[in-house]
Amino acid sequence: EVVLSEERWTAAAVQMASGPGVEANIQEAGRLIAEAVANGARLVALPENFACMGYREDDKLKIAEPDGDGPIQSFLSAEARRHGIVLVGGTVPLRGDDPKRVRAGCPVYGPDGGRLGRYDKIHLFDVEVSPGEAYRESDTLEPGATDPLVVETPWGRLGVAVCYDLRFPELFRGMLLQGMELLAVPSAFTAATGEAHWEILVRARAVENLCYVIAPNQGGYHVNGRETFGGTMIVDPWGGILARRDRGAGVVTAEVDLERQREIRARFPALTHRRLY
């Protein structure tokens, strides 16, 4: 059992505008992780698709890794160990059951470099955002199992979701049943959906679950012509935005205060008032 070493500590969310080159993206991620650690971060979260935003959606199949092995996962493990942090590894294309599709796996590593858990994105983004802008993730991704993931970390019980998952609040209610205190949501929201819904959804998940939300996002123009929204932020259990970055690569940091969170949950016990599960 992991014992909390501190009640107050610093979390960081990394924003990127990733391109198609895995090595270049990894180098950039490493630079930004080091910046976060220099700012005191004990937990760092990377955005969805941090290692590759390919020219084509099926480019992810070319770099897919087996579970627990490969250059992207090795990089994440080494960074967590080097800096002694909890590292939420954005998403990594991992081989699944279907040879024509991959899993959007989010591995979480502990300060010793060992993997604490892996979450595979459940809800796939098959939508028409506007005429001429449509996405069909299910063509190249297979969904994960429907079980939510909450992992023990030295700094709290961490739930993990990915991007489109934000729109499905029942997922996070399942995390609460596992004692979630913190939530990380690596994302790559489009410019259009981000402008309309990103902040609303992130803050709503914080308010309704009375938890900290660490929300790293892709933010900028990509070589493949796609534009992502940015707005990477860290939100407190009362819905307050503690830190935010609108556009471009960079890091946001904020203090997490688990004692304050417990006080909020005690004074405003909405989580114990639930009648439907």
XYZ file of all heavy atoms in Angstrom, residues 92-185:
729
model
N -0.165 6.011 -26.179
C 0.822 5.277 -26.970
C 0.066 4.277 -27.822
O -0.817 3.575 -27.309
C 1.813 4.526 -26.049
C 2.834 3.759 -26.871
C 2.499 5.502 -25.087
N 0.347 4.193 -29.140
C -0.316 3.171 -29.948
C 0.204 1.780 -29.588
O 1.379 1.468 -29.801
C 0.043 3.558 -31.388
C 1.278 4.390 -31.278
C 1.237 5.055 -29.946
N -0.669 0.970 -29.010
C -0.292 -0.361 -28.540
C -1.052 -1.432 -29.316
O -2.232 -1.250 -29.629
C -0.595 -0.496 -27.049
C 0.161 0.467 -26.124
C -0.317 0.309 -24.686
C 1.659 0.249 -26.219
N -0.369 -2.499 -29.611
C -1.008 -3.583 -30.345
C -2.103 -4.210 -29.509
O -1.944 -4.429 -28.310
C 0.041 -4.632 -30.726
C 1.065 -4.125 -31.725
C 2.148 -5.137 -31.999
N 3.247 -4.529 -32.739
C 4.466 -5.052 -32.844
N 4.745 -6.213 -32.224
N 5.401 -4.440 -33.533
N -3.214 -4.506 -30.178
C -4.352 -5.118 -29.508
C -4.723 -6.436 -30.145
O -3.862 -7.190 -30.612
N -6.001 -6.702 -30.214
C -6.489 -7.965 -30.769
C -6.672 -7.913 -32.284
O -6.639 -8.939 -32.948
C -7.820 -8.336 -30.111
C -7.693 -8.502 -28.608
O -6.636 -9.005 -28.157
O -8.635 -8.135 -27.885
N -6.875 -6.717 -32.825
C -7.150 -6.532 -34.250
C -5.873 -6.048 -34.948
O -5.389 -4.955 -34.643
C -8.277 -5.513 -34.416
C -8.713 -5.336 -35.858
O -7.986 -5.766 -36.780
O -9.795 -4.743 -36.072
N -5.321 -6.824 -35.885
C -4.068 -6.399 -36.542
C -4.217 -5.136 -37.378
O -3.215 -4.504 -37.726
C -3.712 -7.605 -37.414
C -4.988 -8.350 -37.617
C -5.777 -8.138 -36.365
N -5.448 -4.743 -37.695
C -5.666 -3.536 -38.499
C -5.968 -2.304 -37.643
O -6.191 -1.220 -38.176
C -6.823 -3.779 -39.473
C -6.527 -4.863 -40.499
C -7.686 -5.037 -41.467
C -7.389 -6.112 -42.514
N -8.528 -6.293 -43.460
N -5.966 -2.489 -36.322
C -6.219 -1.368 -35.419
C -5.297 -1.493 -34.208
O -4.740 -2.553 -33.931
C -7.684 -1.348 -34.967
C -8.689 -1.190 -36.104
C -10.095 -0.926 -35.585
N -10.647 -2.065 -34.866
C -11.798 -2.040 -34.199
N -12.516 -0.935 -34.144
N -12.245 -3.130 -33.589
N -5.150 -0.385 -33.472
C -4.340 -0.383 -32.265
C -5.181 0.125 -31.099
O -6.286 0.640 -31.281
C -3.078 0.496 -32.428
C -2.186 -0.054 -33.525
C -3.455 1.951 -32.716
N -4.651 -0.002 -29.905
C -5.250 0.587 -28.722
C -4.587 1.933 -28.458
O -3.382 2.080 -28.635
C -5.044 -0.307 -27.500
C -5.685 -1.698 -27.598
C -7.176 -1.647 -27.427
N -7.776 -2.966 -27.407
C -8.061 -3.637 -26.289
N -7.791 -3.102 -25.103
N -8.608 -4.831 -26.343
N -5.372 2.914 -28.036
C -4.822 4.183 -27.561
C -4.580 4.006 -26.070
O -5.431 4.311 -25.238
C -5.781 5.329 -27.835
N -3.412 3.473 -25.742
C -3.098 3.122 -24.370
C -2.450 4.272 -23.627
O -1.554 4.938 -24.140
N -2.903 4.510 -22.409
C -2.304 5.528 -21.547
C -1.624 4.818 -20.384
O -2.284 4.427 -19.417
C -3.347 6.515 -21.038
S -2.637 7.779 -19.956
N -0.302 4.636 -20.450
C 0.414 4.016 -19.335
C 0.789 5.061 -18.287
O 1.078 6.215 -18.604
C 1.659 3.438 -20.014
C 1.904 4.349 -21.174
C 0.565 4.913 -21.598
N 0.770 4.646 -17.036
C 1.158 5.516 -15.931
C 2.348 4.872 -15.218
O 2.290 3.689 -14.847
C 0.001 5.714 -14.930
C 0.423 6.640 -13.797
C -1.237 6.256 -15.644
N 3.417 5.659 -15.046
C 4.652 5.153 -14.450
C 4.908 5.820 -13.111
O 4.634 7.007 -12.921
C 5.836 5.394 -15.390
C 5.699 4.646 -16.693
C 5.058 5.228 -17.778
C 6.180 3.349 -16.825
C 4.906 4.543 -18.966
C 6.032 2.646 -18.018
C 5.385 3.248 -19.086
O 5.224 2.568 -20.262
N 5.480 5.052 -12.194
C 5.814 5.565 -10.877
C 7.235 6.082 -10.814
O 8.012 5.975 -11.773
N 7.620 6.643 -9.664
C 8.940 7.243 -9.524
C 10.105 6.288 -9.730
O 11.227 6.731 -9.995
C 8.920 7.781 -8.080
C 7.478 7.997 -7.768
C 6.759 6.894 -8.483
N 9.869 4.986 -9.607
C 10.943 4.015 -9.861
C 10.979 3.544 -11.304
O 11.789 2.678 -11.659
C 10.801 2.807 -8.926
C 9.515 2.017 -9.164
O 8.671 2.456 -9.989
O 9.338 0.963 -8.527
N 10.113 4.110 -12.155
C 10.061 3.714 -13.548
C 9.148 2.539 -13.834
O 8.924 2.189 -14.994
N 8.614 1.922 -12.795
C 7.687 0.813 -12.996
C 6.302 1.303 -13.388
O 5.889 2.396 -12.996
N 5.606 0.491 -14.157
C 4.269 0.889 -14.603
C 3.249 0.608 -13.516
O 3.148 -0.504 -13.009
C 3.890 0.155 -15.892
C 2.687 0.792 -16.585
C 2.442 0.204 -17.956
N 1.780 -1.084 -17.876
C 1.453 -1.833 -18.924
N 1.771 -1.410 -20.134
N 0.846 -2.981 -18.783
N 2.479 1.646 -13.176
C 1.442 1.527 -12.157
C 0.129 1.016 -12.733
O -0.694 0.461 -12.005
C 1.210 2.885 -11.487
C 2.417 3.524 -10.808
C 2.060 4.912 -10.280
C 2.938 2.639 -9.690
N -0.085 1.258 -14.029
C -1.319 0.820 -14.667
C -1.368 1.282 -16.108
O -0.531 2.077 -16.563
N -2.333 0.757 -16.825
C -2.535 1.128 -18.235
C -4.030 1.248 -18.483
O -4.805 0.349 -18.146
C -1.930 0.067 -19.152
C -2.404 0.165 -20.606
C -1.931 -1.017 -21.432
N -2.683 -1.146 -22.668
C -2.543 -2.148 -23.544
N -1.666 -3.114 -23.305
N -3.287 -2.196 -24.639
N -4.424 2.365 -19.077
C -5.809 2.574 -19.473
C -5.878 2.681 -20.995
O -5.103 3.422 -21.607
C -6.366 3.863 -18.855
C -7.688 4.274 -19.451
C -8.857 3.596 -19.109
C -7.772 5.296 -20.388
C -10.079 3.951 -19.677
C -8.985 5.659 -20.955
C -10.137 4.979 -20.597
O -11.336 5.328 -21.168
N -6.786 1.955 -21.613
C -7.012 2.043 -23.060
C -8.297 2.828 -23.310
O -9.352 2.496 -22.761
C -7.150 0.654 -23.686
C -5.854 -0.136 -23.621
O -4.792 0.465 -23.334
O -5.894 -1.363 -23.845
N -8.204 3.848 -24.139
C -9.331 4.734 -24.432
C -10.574 3.923 -24.794
O -10.555 3.083 -25.698
C -8.943 5.666 -25.584
C -9.967 6.722 -25.933
C -9.406 7.625 -27.045
C -10.336 8.768 -27.389
N -9.753 9.644 -28.435
N -11.649 4.213 -24.080
C -12.892 3.462 -24.267
C -13.761 4.070 -25.368
O -14.238 3.369 -26.272
C -13.690 3.434 -22.945
C -12.961 2.612 -21.889
C -15.084 2.857 -23.176
C -13.615 2.682 -20.516
N -13.995 5.369 -25.297
C -14.919 6.043 -26.212
C -14.154 6.575 -27.420
O -13.215 7.363 -27.266
C -15.642 7.185 -25.490
C -16.405 6.735 -24.287
N -15.907 6.866 -22.999
C -17.618 6.153 -24.171
C -16.794 6.375 -22.146
N -17.840 5.945 -22.828
N -14.544 6.175 -28.594
C -13.833 6.538 -29.813
C -14.557 7.665 -30.545
O -15.789 7.684 -30.648
C -13.673 5.321 -30.720
C -12.944 4.130 -30.076
C -12.753 3.010 -31.088
C -11.599 4.547 -29.482
N -13.781 8.575 -31.095
C -14.267 9.833 -31.664
C -14.706 9.613 -33.112
O -13.963 9.869 -34.054
C -13.135 10.862 -31.575
C -13.545 12.288 -31.815
C -14.588 12.872 -31.114
C -12.858 13.067 -32.738
C -14.943 14.198 -31.311
C -13.211 14.392 -32.958
C -14.245 14.962 -32.249
N -15.919 9.143 -33.292
C -16.514 8.930 -34.617
C -17.601 9.985 -34.806
O -18.776 9.745 -34.530
C -17.122 7.529 -34.728
C -16.079 6.426 -34.791
O -14.877 6.741 -34.747
O -16.462 5.248 -34.879
N -17.211 11.157 -35.261
C -18.154 12.280 -35.323
C -17.892 13.127 -36.561
O -16.822 13.085 -37.154
C -18.040 13.188 -34.071
C -18.253 12.403 -32.797
C -16.697 13.889 -34.039
N -18.913 13.897 -36.927
C -18.765 14.940 -37.936
C -18.849 16.279 -37.204
O -19.922 16.711 -36.794
C -19.858 14.844 -39.000
C -19.671 15.855 -40.127
C -20.721 15.727 -41.225
O -21.574 14.812 -41.129
O -20.692 16.533 -42.159
N -17.686 16.904 -37.034
C -17.619 18.154 -36.289
C -18.343 19.259 -37.044
O -19.060 20.074 -36.464
C -16.145 18.547 -36.037
C -16.049 19.922 -35.394
C -15.471 17.495 -35.155
N -18.150 19.281 -38.356
C -18.786 20.265 -39.227
C -18.725 19.705 -40.640
O -18.000 18.727 -40.895
C -18.069 21.616 -39.149
O -16.724 21.485 -39.579
N -19.462 20.270 -41.589
C -19.365 19.792 -42.967
C -17.907 19.856 -43.454
O -17.261 20.900 -43.396
C -20.251 20.768 -43.747
C -21.247 21.237 -42.736
C -20.492 21.326 -41.448
N -17.391 18.723 -43.852
C -16.016 18.666 -44.330
C -14.993 18.337 -43.265
O -13.806 18.145 -43.575
N -15.398 18.269 -41.993
C -14.475 17.901 -40.915
C -15.080 16.748 -40.122
O -15.919 16.941 -39.245
C -14.188 19.073 -39.984
C -13.131 18.738 -38.938
C -12.845 19.869 -37.962
O -13.508 20.920 -38.053
O -11.963 19.700 -37.116
N -14.652 15.550 -40.481
C -15.177 14.350 -39.841
C -14.020 13.483 -39.352
O -12.916 13.504 -39.913
C -16.054 13.565 -40.812
N -14.291 12.729 -38.312
C -13.288 11.852 -37.723
C -13.922 10.487 -37.480
O -15.092 10.386 -37.122
C -12.780 12.427 -36.391
C -12.144 13.781 -36.536
C -12.924 14.944 -36.472
C -10.777 13.921 -36.747
C -12.354 16.200 -36.608
C -10.197 15.176 -36.897
C -10.987 16.303 -36.827
O -10.425 17.549 -36.971
N -13.128 9.452 -37.680
C -13.611 8.095 -37.428
C -12.478 7.276 -36.799
O -11.790 6.516 -37.473
C -14.141 7.455 -38.710
C -14.858 6.149 -38.458
C -15.633 5.642 -39.645
N -16.250 4.364 -39.361
C -17.383 4.204 -38.693
N -18.032 5.275 -38.255
N -17.871 3.007 -38.456
N -12.300 7.476 -35.504
C -11.200 6.794 -34.819
C -11.338 5.277 -34.855
O -10.328 4.564 -34.821
C -11.128 7.265 -33.364
C -10.509 8.631 -33.186
C -10.230 8.963 -31.731
O -10.936 8.435 -30.837
O -9.319 9.772 -31.492
N -12.564 4.788 -34.926
C -12.744 3.338 -34.887
C -12.163 2.641 -36.106
O -12.023 1.412 -36.103
C -14.228 2.988 -34.744
O -14.966 3.440 -35.867
N -11.811 3.393 -37.152
C -11.159 2.768 -38.300
C -9.756 2.290 -37.958
O -9.265 1.320 -38.542
C -11.077 3.750 -39.477
C -12.411 3.968 -40.168
O -13.342 3.172 -39.934
O -12.522 4.949 -40.926
N -9.092 2.984 -37.027
C -7.704 2.645 -36.702
C -7.484 2.326 -35.225
O -6.403 1.894 -34.849
C -6.759 3.800 -37.100
O -7.211 5.005 -36.479
C -6.722 3.976 -38.610
N -8.511 2.553 -34.397
C -8.410 2.241 -32.971
C -9.463 1.222 -32.589
O -10.583 1.252 -33.098
C -8.620 3.494 -32.117
C -7.583 4.610 -32.193
C -8.004 5.757 -31.275
C -6.199 4.117 -31.823
N -9.101 0.329 -31.682
C -10.104 -0.527 -31.069
C -10.285 -0.090 -29.621
O -9.324 0.315 -28.963
C -9.725 -2.002 -31.161
C -8.460 -2.405 -30.440
C -8.223 -3.918 -30.531
O -8.936 -4.600 -31.282
O -7.324 -4.402 -29.832
N -11.512 -0.098 -29.135
C -11.765 0.438 -27.791
C -11.212 -0.482 -26.714
O -11.111 -1.697 -26.890
C -13.288 0.516 -27.730
C -13.760 -0.543 -28.684
C -12.746 -0.570 -29.789
N -10.881 0.124 -25.585
C -10.465 -0.663 -24.444
C -11.653 -1.268 -23.731
O -12.806 -1.053 -24.096
N -11.360 -2.022 -22.689
C -12.417 -2.592 -21.851
C -13.143 -1.456 -21.137
O -12.645 -0.336 -21.055
C -11.813 -3.561 -20.840
N -14.310 -1.739 -20.644
C -15.151 -0.689 -20.050
C -14.854 -0.440 -18.579
O -15.571 0.317 -17.929
C -16.630 -1.027 -20.234
O -16.887 -2.320 -19.670
C -17.011 -1.026 -21.705
N -13.808 -1.066 -18.048
C -13.470 -0.849 -16.640
C -12.647 0.435 -16.495
O -11.636 0.613 -17.172
C -12.657 -2.025 -16.090
C -13.449 -3.316 -16.063
O -14.672 -3.237 -15.886
O -12.840 -4.383 -16.233
N -13.042 1.348 -15.603
C -12.223 2.533 -15.362
C -10.940 2.159 -14.638
O -10.850 1.101 -13.992
C -13.120 3.410 -14.488
C -14.055 2.469 -13.826
C -14.270 1.338 -14.790
N -9.936 3.022 -14.756
C -8.652 2.778 -14.113
C -8.389 3.844 -13.056
O -8.437 5.043 -13.342
C -7.509 2.809 -15.141
C -6.106 2.668 -14.552
C -5.887 1.242 -14.030
C -5.028 3.032 -15.567
N -8.111 3.403 -11.848
C -7.627 4.268 -10.777
C -6.397 3.589 -10.196
O -6.454 2.407 -9.836
C -8.686 4.491 -9.684
C -8.117 5.324 -8.538
C -9.920 5.166 -10.267
N -5.280 4.316 -10.135
C -4.040 3.727 -9.643
C -3.588 4.439 -8.375
O -3.806 5.631 -8.193
C -2.912 3.786 -10.701
C -3.282 2.957 -11.916
C -2.597 5.217 -11.101
N -2.947 3.674 -7.497
C -2.313 4.241 -6.309
C -1.013 4.907 -6.720
O -0.185 4.298 -7.388
C -2.006 3.136 -5.295
C -3.226 2.588 -4.597
C -3.640 3.423 -3.400
O -3.079 4.521 -3.223
O -4.529 2.978 -2.660
N -0.830 6.169 -6.338
C 0.441 6.842 -6.534
C 0.916 7.351 -5.177
O 0.127 7.408 -4.229
C 0.329 8.030 -7.513
O -0.147 9.184 -6.807
C -0.593 7.707 -8.691
N 2.181 7.730 -5.068
C 2.649 8.285 -3.791
C 1.943 9.573 -3.399
O 2.071 10.016 -2.252
C 4.141 8.537 -4.048
C 4.502 7.617 -5.162
C 3.282 7.540 -6.021
N 1.179 10.181 -4.330
C 0.579 11.483 -4.063
C -0.929 11.489 -4.294
O -1.513 12.522 -4.574
C 1.285 12.548 -4.912
C 2.741 12.592 -4.545
C 3.263 12.993 -3.352
C 3.844 12.166 -5.349
N 4.631 12.850 -3.370
C 5.019 12.351 -4.572
C 3.959 11.664 -6.651
C 6.288 12.031 -5.059
C 5.224 11.340 -7.125
C 6.364 11.522 -6.332
N -1.553 10.316 -4.164
C -2.999 10.268 -4.273
C -3.469 9.190 -5.234
O -2.682 8.610 -5.992
N -4.777 8.920 -5.207
C -5.376 7.906 -6.087
C -5.793 8.602 -7.383
O -6.657 9.479 -7.390
C -6.574 7.241 -5.403
C -6.160 6.384 -4.205
C -7.345 5.673 -3.581
N -7.948 4.726 -4.501
C -7.524 3.479 -4.720
N -6.458 3.023 -4.073
N -8.144 2.690 -5.556
N -5.185 8.162 -8.468
C -5.275 8.844 -9.755
C -6.145 8.067 -10.737
O -5.874 6.896 -11.017
C -3.871 9.017 -10.344
C -3.768 9.586 -11.761
C -4.131 11.071 -11.771
C -2.361 9.374 -12.329
N -7.178 8.729 -11.249
C -7.977 8.165 -12.331
C -7.470 8.682 -13.673
O -6.938 9.795 -13.757
N -7.633 7.872 -14.712
C -7.135 8.229 -16.045
C -8.241 8.044 -17.074
O -8.926 7.015 -17.102
C -5.916 7.368 -16.436
C -5.405 7.766 -17.812
C -4.797 7.508 -15.407
N -8.416 9.063 -17.922
C -9.318 8.987 -19.070
C -8.626 9.693 -20.231
O -7.577 10.322 -20.058
C -10.653 9.635 -18.758
N -9.210 9.591 -21.429
C -8.578 10.176 -22.617
C -9.610 10.935 -23.439
O -10.610 10.364 -23.881
C -7.902 9.088 -23.483
C -7.385 9.695 -24.790
C -6.753 8.425 -22.727
N -9.386 12.227 -23.627
C -10.033 13.072 -24.632
C -11.553 12.904 -24.686
O -12.265 13.394 -23.836
C -9.376 12.816 -25.988
S -9.634 14.152 -27.202
N -12.067 12.206 -25.682
C -13.505 12.065 -25.902
C -14.222 11.465 -24.697
O -15.419 11.691 -24.491
C -13.726 11.208 -27.155
C -15.134 11.158 -27.694
C -15.891 12.314 -27.884
C -15.697 9.942 -28.066
C -17.181 12.251 -28.405
C -16.983 9.869 -28.598
C -17.721 11.019 -28.759
O -18.992 10.958 -29.279
N -13.471 10.722 -23.855
C -14.040 10.181 -22.622
C -14.656 11.267 -21.751
O -15.563 10.983 -20.952
C -12.949 9.483 -21.793
C -12.516 8.133 -22.340
O -13.324 7.459 -22.995
O -11.356 7.757 -22.100
N -14.154 12.484 -21.866
C -14.646 13.585 -21.021
C -16.157 13.768 -21.124
O -16.788 14.300 -20.203
C -13.971 14.894 -21.426
C -12.701 15.311 -20.700
C -12.091 16.538 -21.363
C -12.966 15.577 -19.221
N -16.749 13.348 -22.233
C -18.173 13.574 -22.469
C -19.076 12.521 -21.829
O -20.297 12.573 -21.993
C -18.441 13.633 -23.981
C -17.738 14.788 -24.670
C -18.005 14.787 -26.173
N -17.285 15.857 -26.847
C -17.722 17.109 -27.005
N -18.912 17.441 -26.540
N -16.990 18.010 -27.614
N -18.488 11.587 -21.090
C -19.254 10.463 -20.558
C -19.067 10.399 -19.042
O -18.219 9.667 -18.530
C -18.806 9.171 -21.248
C -18.986 9.230 -22.743
C -17.968 9.702 -23.561
C -20.200 8.894 -23.333
C -18.136 9.796 -24.948
C -20.380 8.990 -24.712
C -19.346 9.441 -25.509
N -19.880 11.164 -18.311
C -19.645 11.320 -16.865
C -19.771 10.032 -16.076
O -19.211 9.928 -14.983
C -20.708 12.342 -16.450
C -21.745 12.317 -17.516
C -21.017 11.987 -18.783
N -20.485 9.045 -16.609
C -20.626 7.801 -15.866
C -19.277 7.095 -15.674
O -19.073 6.367 -14.693
C -21.620 6.858 -16.571
C -21.227 6.428 -17.972
C -21.682 7.397 -19.059
O -22.006 8.565 -18.756
O -21.697 6.967 -20.229
N -18.337 7.330 -16.584
C -16.999 6.748 -16.441
C -16.346 7.233 -15.150
O -15.718 6.465 -14.411
C -16.144 7.126 -17.651
C -14.661 6.736 -17.601
C -14.492 5.230 -17.514
C -13.930 7.280 -18.825
N -16.518 8.501 -14.854
C -15.855 9.100 -13.693
C -16.562 8.738 -12.397
O -15.926 8.655 -11.342
C -15.752 10.614 -13.898
C -15.105 10.932 -15.223
C -15.878 11.252 -16.329
C -13.738 10.821 -15.376
C -15.291 11.498 -17.563
C -13.136 11.058 -16.596
C -13.913 11.395 -17.697
N -17.858 8.493 -12.460
C -18.562 7.969 -11.289
C -18.003 6.600 -10.921
O -17.876 6.255 -9.740
C -20.065 7.868 -11.559
C -20.784 9.213 -11.605
C -20.497 10.045 -10.373
N -21.481 11.101 -10.189
C -21.282 12.187 -9.467
N -20.124 12.370 -8.865
N -22.223 13.095 -9.327
N -17.663 5.814 -11.931
C -17.036 4.524 -11.658
C -15.689 4.680 -10.977
O -15.318 3.882 -10.108
N -14.955 5.714 -11.345
C -13.665 5.975 -10.694
C -13.854 6.354 -9.235
O -13.048 5.986 -8.376
C -12.934 7.092 -11.431
C -12.475 6.735 -12.831
S -11.636 8.155 -13.590
C -11.395 7.535 -15.263
N -14.907 7.124 -8.936
C -15.157 7.514 -7.551
C -15.352 6.300 -6.652
O -14.953 6.296 -5.490
C -16.392 8.408 -7.470
C -16.217 9.879 -7.839
C -17.555 10.593 -7.773
C -15.208 10.566 -6.927
N -15.983 5.259 -7.190
C -16.188 4.050 -6.406
C -14.870 3.380 -6.059
O -14.804 2.559 -5.145
C -17.088 3.070 -7.175
C -18.509 3.562 -7.460
C -19.266 2.541 -8.293
C -19.254 3.854 -6.156
N -13.800 3.746 -6.790
C -12.458 3.232 -6.502
C -11.617 4.247 -5.725
O -10.411 4.089 -5.583
C -11.746 2.862 -7.805
C -12.435 1.767 -8.604
C -11.669 1.419 -9.874
O -10.452 1.321 -9.879
N -12.383 1.243 -10.964
N -12.253 5.300 -5.235
C -11.554 6.239 -4.379
C -10.758 7.309 -5.089
O -9.822 7.873 -4.511
N -11.127 7.657 -6.329
C -10.378 8.656 -7.081
C -10.296 9.989 -6.345
O -11.296 10.522 -5.865
C -11.031 8.887 -8.446
C -10.379 10.000 -9.262
S -11.253 10.372 -10.793
C -12.809 11.025 -10.189
N -9.076 10.561 -6.280
C -8.855 11.896 -5.744
C -8.386 12.864 -6.823
O -8.632 14.066 -6.756
C -7.796 11.852 -4.647
C -8.183 11.009 -3.457
C -7.016 10.759 -2.540
O -6.065 10.053 -2.950
O -7.047 11.268 -1.405
N -7.677 12.330 -7.806
C -7.098 13.110 -8.891
C -7.526 12.500 -10.210
O -7.743 11.291 -10.295
C -5.560 13.100 -8.828
C -4.911 13.244 -7.469
C -3.467 12.768 -7.511
C -4.982 14.699 -7.030
N -7.615 13.343 -11.240
C -7.995 12.854 -12.554
C -7.068 13.458 -13.599
O -6.863 14.670 -13.619
C -9.445 13.235 -12.860
C -9.974 12.942 -14.264
C -9.945 11.447 -14.555
C -11.386 13.495 -14.423
N -6.494 12.612 -14.449
C -5.688 13.079 -15.576
C -6.403 12.699 -16.864
O -6.849 11.556 -17.016
C -4.295 12.460 -15.551
N -6.505 13.670 -17.776
C -7.234 13.450 -19.026
C -6.380 13.909 -20.217
O -6.576 15.010 -20.752
C -8.590 14.177 -19.040
C -9.427 13.702 -20.225
C -9.352 13.955 -17.754
